[in-house]
Amino acid sequence: MSYWVCYYHVVWATRERQPILSTEEFHHVETVVRAVLMDERVVVHAAGCLPDHVHVVASIPPALAVAAVAKRWK
C-alpha cells in the first residue's frame, strides 16, 4: 500500500485584480470547487476568498497533474 501527502496552495485572481467577488459568490465558488473534484480523490482542506482573489488548499494525488487540477477549478 502506498502513502502520499501532497498539499498545494492554489491562488487565482480576478481580471486586473478587480474587487468583484462578494460573500455570496464565494459560497458558490467554494461549492463548485468541492463538487468538481469530489470524484478524483482531491481533498479540499480550506478555501478562502477576498474581493479580488481566491485561495484553495488541497491534497492532490501524485497521479494527477497539479496544473490539470487547477485548470478544472478555474
Side-chain angles (χ1 to χ4, degrees), residues 12-22 25 49-54:
W12 61 93
T14 60
R15 177 171 284 209
E16 297 178 3
R17 294 285 247 187
Q18 292 294 317
I20 59 173
L21 296 172
S22 67
E25 289 168 328
C49 183
L50 291 171
D52 64 346
H53 64 281
V54 176

Side-chain angles (χ1 to χ4, degrees), residues 9-59:
H9 179 204
V10 181
V11 180
W12 61 93
T14 60
R15 177 171 284 209
E16 297 178 3
R17 294 285 247 187
Q18 292 294 317
I20 59 173
L21 296 172
S22 67
T23 304
E24 296 82 27
E25 289 168 328
F26 167 66
H27 291 300
H28 177 70
V29 169
E30 182 179 22
T31 302
V32 169
V33 164
R34 291 180 187 276
V36 164
L37 297 170
M38 187 183 316
D39 61 336
E40 292 193 33
R41 293 185 24 197
V42 173
V43 178
V44 177
H45 298 285
C49 183
L50 291 171
D52 64 346
H53 64 281
V54 176
H55 293 262
V56 175
V57 176
S59 292

